[in-house]
Amino acid sequence: TDKLQEANWTLPLEPLHVQFPYFLGLRPTTCHGADLRVYIYDTGSYSAGSLFCSAGQWGVEVALHRYFAASTCRTYTPEEADFFFVPDYRACHYHLAPTYRQSG
C-alpha cells in the first residue's frame, strides 16, 4: 500500500554488505594493541533491532555497539572498564517503525 511505500522499509545492501559480519557478531574485532576496556550495558529492548537501525543516521551507534560487543576491548566487569557504552535505539525505532499511535 502507499503507507508501506512511504515508510521505506528496505535495507540497502551497499555498502552494508561489508559491515554485516560485524553487525551479526560473525567476525571478532580487536583493540589494535590498546589496553582500552569497554563495558556494554544490557539495555534490553532498547538495544533490540540493531541490524534494522544500522542504516541511516543511527548507523554509527550500531557500528560502535557491534564493534565493541565482538571486541577484545570488551569487559564484562564494570570495575575494569575505562569507558561505558549504553546502547539505545529508541529514536530509530520511533522514527523508522511507524505504529498505529504515531502519524507521519
Side-chain angles (χ1 to χ4, degrees), residues 19-27 50-51 66 70:
Q19 299 166 346
F20 278 151
Y22 295 107
F23 291 148
L24 297 173
L26 300 176
R27 280 196 196 142
S50 63
L51 188 59
R66 301 313 310 156

Side-chain angles (χ1 to χ4, degrees), residues 22-79:
Y22 295 107
F23 291 148
L24 297 173
L26 300 176
R27 280 196 196 142
T29 57
T30 70
C31 284
H32 305 284
D35 291 333
L36 177 73
R37 306 298 289 160
V38 179
Y39 179 81
I40 302 172
Y41 279 93
D42 180 4
T43 55
S45 64
Y46 294 160
S47 60
S50 63
L51 188 59
F52 178 75
C53 296
S54 65
Q57 69 187 43
W58 297 280
V60 172
E61 292 178 52
V62 173
L64 287 172
H65 181 195
R66 301 313 310 156
Y67 182 88
F68 288 128
S71 177
T72 58
C73 302
R74 185 175 187 179
T75 179
Y76 293 90
T77 308
E79 293 79 23

